[in-house]
Amino acid sequence: MQTERRPPRGSDDPAAETLGTTGEFALISAITADLEPELAAAVGGRVLLGPGDDGAVLLADGPVVSSIDCLVEGVHFRTDWSEALDVGRKAVAVNLADLEAMGAAPVGVLVGFTAPAELPTRWALDFAAGVRQECRTAGAALLGGDTTRGPVIMIAVTALGTLPGEAITRDNARPGDVVAVCGRLGWAAAGLAVLGRGFRSPRAVVEAQRVPAVPYGQGRAAAAAGAHAMIDISDGLLADLGHVARASKVIIDLDPAAFAVPDPLRAVAAATGSDPLTLILTGGEDHALAAAFSAEDVPEGWTVVGRVLRPDAAEGRVTVDGREWEGARGWDHFRR
Amino acid sequence: MQTERRPPRGSDDPAAETLGTTGEFALISAITADLEPELAAAVGGRVLLGPGDDGAVLLADGPVVSSIDCLVEGVHFRTDWSEALDVGRKAVAVNLADLEAMGAAPVGVLVGFTAPAELPTRWALDFAAGVRQECRTAGAALLGGDTTRGPVIMIAVTALGTLPGEAITRDNARPGDVVAVCGRLGWAAAGLAVLGRGFRSPRAVVEAQRVPAVPYGQGRAAAAAGAHAMIDISDGLLADLGHVARASKVIIDLDPAAFAVPDPLRAVAAATGSDPLTLILTGGEDHALAAAFSAEDVPEGWTVVGRVLRPDAAEGRVTVDGREWEGARGWDHFRR
């Protein structure tokens, strides 16, 4: 998100509890209350021990996949654009998408939560409720965490999952494969475009910016169908398929006609004088999945959008209709 | 650490590379170069896949223990007091101490790294070198990470390990047990006291503040010896044994005469007009281990410092020579 932090965060009620008055240990107790049913329901592994000790303990029924992602206030979310519940859901969703992209079943998350002492306690509790809600949606559980003080809200989530089969990596896309996607492309970027102009509609893209609709289960379905390579689209389709192309040392060509343009994207593109295909090819934060398959293996729910053409002795690259894409390709967190 | 952030961080050389000029992907390449030997050497599990994909993959030889900790610039470290290498080592050490406290063998860490775009790239590379150095010391490896932009340096580390036997939790200290500690107590707090007064000596306590000397292997030794309950001392012995006392619903009594007072602590206490026992009982950040054992089971290298007296129908508590401890007990991250 290419925006600066906005200071106003908090409550209009000066008597409201803050993290400074609630304290670390009471906060943790409130966040982890009544977790047992969720821990018991977590799929893919058995949670032997949840929050409250030095570490969580899982008995996994296969190899364990882990991934970490950080979300920073003013960089990945703004408290005046997103409710705390949405930030909690998003923090979990972006991470569980990484597990899906490996073909893994999520078991749970560890959450590091850093915030100023003057943050209303309500915000932290709503954030935690969002974490637990998204976990439940995905069949995972809150396994543990750490809370500490810092100048802005910073969230680090580690997702843990188990692999029913082989890990689907980025480096095995094969010439002759088709490339297919599952999930939304360009919606979150469209939402960011309208929020950045001070609008709150189309509502669907604004909501997509706040919480990505991760296609839970589809990464596992792709792995079971025999996907050769897979990735989570976090920085934009061209940028992330670029990782697959380089790791696999192949040329991937996308067919621009293969992408349906949903109405909300068409509306945003018209209103902002932009091209919907640019949103689709370069917009990040939707956390769709992209994978390379043998043509006959593409599972239901996936859309073929391109092909793996041939090995590339150089470094691997992605083209659109046979040509280099002009313009922005994706997002580098330190460059602007 | 009860200090405010100091802005000066960075290089005197205006031409030095920064994260903004280096970029996210070149930074990650530099951090993860030549990792294979470390991944191959990681103990306790087999690393099937390290950094560079959507997730890392472990094949564990037992239950998997996980823990997350956050370190924030100006709260947990200061760049004018600690070198980047030390911050990297500390970020890993505090987390691996949690695994030791469960009786687990470390396998590896995931690191979330947030920093301003103007941070010298050198700082990030030295930090990463510290992460890898401490991992090697402990027999672990860097498994993956995430880098992103933020207003200050914020680090989140997740440690993953495997359990050779039962997890040693906090809730099983038994009346009649002895309580023993392994590792340093009060050293980091003494270091903070002298650094806060503008001094750099005694050097031993200043170094202890920068990087804790975690007693690697001793948590596993305690577990193998039959420890009933164990905890990592991060917030202070009284505070952390308080967690054990409450979880186990017992009264733990410490013997003040059982604590040897090391020379550097005596020197700091004399120079600052404080009591060395206060440093030992309430100083945090040394990441020693404390455990409850049957008296005959205490392993070599551990010092008996107290006893589990009896069940406490109320909520469990810690006393010193039979009395309530007067004064500060430990550290709450949001209260000051």
Side-chain angles (χ1 to χ4, degrees):
Chain A
M1 189 186 290
Q2 293 152 328
T3 60
E4 291 309 304
R5 179 188 171 220
R6 299 295 149 97
R9 156 201 349 95
S11 169
D12 295 333
D13 174 8
E17 284 256 314
T18 66
L19 296 188
T21 54
T22 301
E24 179 181 2
F25 300 109
L27 176 67
I28 294 170
S29 291
I31 287 172
T32 58
D34 305 320
L35 252 183
E36 289 74 13
E38 289 160 42
L39 292 167
V43 298
R46 273 178 286 163
V47 181
L48 302 182
L49 190 68
D53 216 296
D54 291 296
V57 185
L58 307 178
L59 189 55
D61 56 5
V64 172
V65 181
S66 58
S67 178
I68 191 167
D69 272 307
C70 300
L71 270 70
V72 180
E73 180 184 3
V75 179
H76 302 88
F77 65 91
R78 281 172 45 166
T79 54
D80 54 342
W81 285 358
S82 294
E83 301 292 329
L85 186 97
D86 290 338
V87 176
R89 291 185 58 200
K90 181 174 184 170
V92 168
V94 302
N95 233 307
L96 295 185
D98 283 321
L99 297 193
E100 285 289 341
M102 300 300 290
V107 176
V109 297
L110 303 166
V111 180
F113 181 76
T114 296
E118 63 270 22
L119 184 76
T121 301
R122 186 74 258 156
W123 201 99
L125 295 178
D126 288 348
F127 164 80
V131 164
R132 290 175 59 175
Q133 180 182 327
E134 192 71 13
C135 278
R136 279 194 303 273
T137 301
L142 175 60
L143 299 174
D146 185 35
T147 60
T148 189
R149 185 165 54 87
V152 298
I153 302 169
M154 191 204 76
I155 299 146
V157 175
T158 294
L160 297 174
T162 60
L163 267 181
E166 291 274 298
I168 312 301
T169 54
R170 300 174 177 182
D171 60 357
N172 194 29
R174 303 171 192 173
D177 279 355
V178 297
V179 173
V181 296
C182 182
R184 293 167 167 178
L185 293 171
W187 289 58
L192 188 61
V194 301
L195 283 165
R197 286 169 170 77
F199 297 109
R200 290 285 187 275
S201 69
R203 195 181 171 90
V205 297
V206 168
E207 285 174 358
Q209 211 294 312
R210 289 176 179 148
V211 184
V214 174
Y216 292 122
Q218 288 291 351
R220 284 162 272 172
H228 296 153
M230 185 155 51
I231 195 166
D232 154 52
I233 307 303
S234 53
D235 294 334
L237 183 63
L238 286 176
D240 288 313
L241 278 181
H243 296 308
V244 173
R246 284 189 296 279
S248 300
K249 295 187 170 50
V250 294
I251 294 174
I252 292 173
D253 186 51
L254 298 178
D255 174 7
F259 296 92
V261 179
D263 288 341
L265 260 60
R266 198 181 303 278
V268 171
T272 59
S274 60
D275 171 17
L277 190 63
T278 301
L279 288 171
I280 288 170
L281 294 180
T282 68
E285 298 198 281
D286 282 306
H287 298 276
L289 300 169
F293 300 90
S294 296
E296 66 277 16
D297 290 342
V298 179
E300 203 175 334
W302 289 68
T303 304
V304 173
V305 296
R307 291 173 303 151
V308 181
L309 292 185
R310 59 177 185 276
D312 186 27
E315 60 167 0
R317 59 201 168 92
V318 182
T319 57
V320 180
D321 205 12
R323 287 186 292 271
E324 287 291 315
W325 177 255
E326 308 277 332
R329 296 185 70 90
W331 180 243
D332 183 307
H333 278 102
F334 293 113
R335 292 183 168 146
R336 302 217 226 170
Chain B
M1 188 186 288
Q2 295 153 326
T3 60
E4 291 310 303
R5 180 188 169 219
R6 299 294 150 96
R9 157 204 343 101
S11 169
D12 295 333
D13 174 8
E17 284 256 312
T18 65
L19 297 187
T21 55
T22 302
E24 180 182 2
F25 300 109
L27 176 68
I28 293 169
S29 291
I31 287 172
T32 57
D34 305 320
L35 252 184
E36 289 73 14
E38 290 160 41
L39 291 167
V43 299
R46 272 178 287 165
V47 181
L48 301 184
L49 190 68
D53 216 297
D54 291 296
V57 185
L58 306 178
L59 188 56
D61 57 4
V64 172
V65 181
S66 57
S67 177
I68 191 167
D69 272 307
C70 300
L71 269 70
V72 180
E73 180 184 2
V75 179
H76 301 89
F77 65 90
R78 280 172 45 166
T79 54
D80 55 340
W81 285 358
S82 294
E83 301 292 329
L85 186 97
D86 291 338
V87 176
R89 292 185 58 200
K90 181 175 183 169
V92 168
V94 303
N95 233 307
L96 295 185
D98 283 321
L99 296 194
E100 285 290 341
M102 300 301 289
V107 176
V109 298
L110 303 167
V111 179
F113 181 75
T114 296
E118 63 269 22
L119 184 76
T121 302
R122 187 74 258 156
W123 201 98
L125 295 178
D126 288 347
F127 165 80
V131 164
R132 289 175 59 174
Q133 180 181 326
E134 192 72 12
C135 278
R136 280 195 301 273
T137 301
L142 175 60
L143 299 175
D146 184 35
T147 61
T148 190
R149 186 164 52 86
V152 298
I153 304 169
M154 294 186 273
I155 298 149
V157 176
T158 293
L160 297 174
T162 59
L163 266 182
E166 291 273 299
I168 313 301
T169 54
R170 301 176 177 181
D171 60 359
N172 193 28
R174 305 170 192 173
D177 280 355
V178 297
V179 172
V181 296
C182 182
R184 292 167 168 177
L185 293 171
W187 290 58
L192 187 62
V194 301
L195 283 165
R197 286 169 170 78
F199 297 108
R200 291 286 188 275
S201 69
R203 197 181 169 88
V205 297
V206 169
E207 285 174 357
Q209 213 293 313
R210 290 175 178 148
V211 185
V214 174
Y216 293 122
Q218 288 290 351
R220 284 162 272 172
H228 297 153
M230 185 154 51
I231 194 165
D232 154 51
I233 308 302
S234 54
D235 294 334
L237 183 63
L238 285 176
D240 288 313
L241 278 181
H243 295 308
V244 174
R246 283 189 295 278
S248 301
K249 294 189 169 52
V250 294
I251 293 174
I252 292 174
D253 187 51
L254 297 178
D255 174 7
F259 297 93
V261 179
D263 287 341
L265 261 60
R266 199 181 303 279
V268 171
T272 59
S274 60
D275 172 16
L277 190 62
T278 301
L279 287 171
I280 290 170
L281 294 179
T282 67
E285 297 198 281
D286 283 305
H287 298 276
L289 301 169
F293 299 91
S294 295
E296 65 278 16
D297 290 340
V298 179
E300 205 175 332
W302 289 69
T303 304
V304 173
V305 296
R307 292 174 301 152
V308 181
L309 292 184
R310 60 177 185 277
D312 186 27
E315 61 166 1
R317 58 199 169 93
V318 182
T319 57
V320 180
D321 205 13
R323 287 187 293 272
E324 286 291 317
W325 178 256
E326 308 276 331
R329 298 185 68 91
W331 181 243
D332 183 306
H333 278 101
F334 293 113
R335 291 181 168 149
R336 300 217 227 170

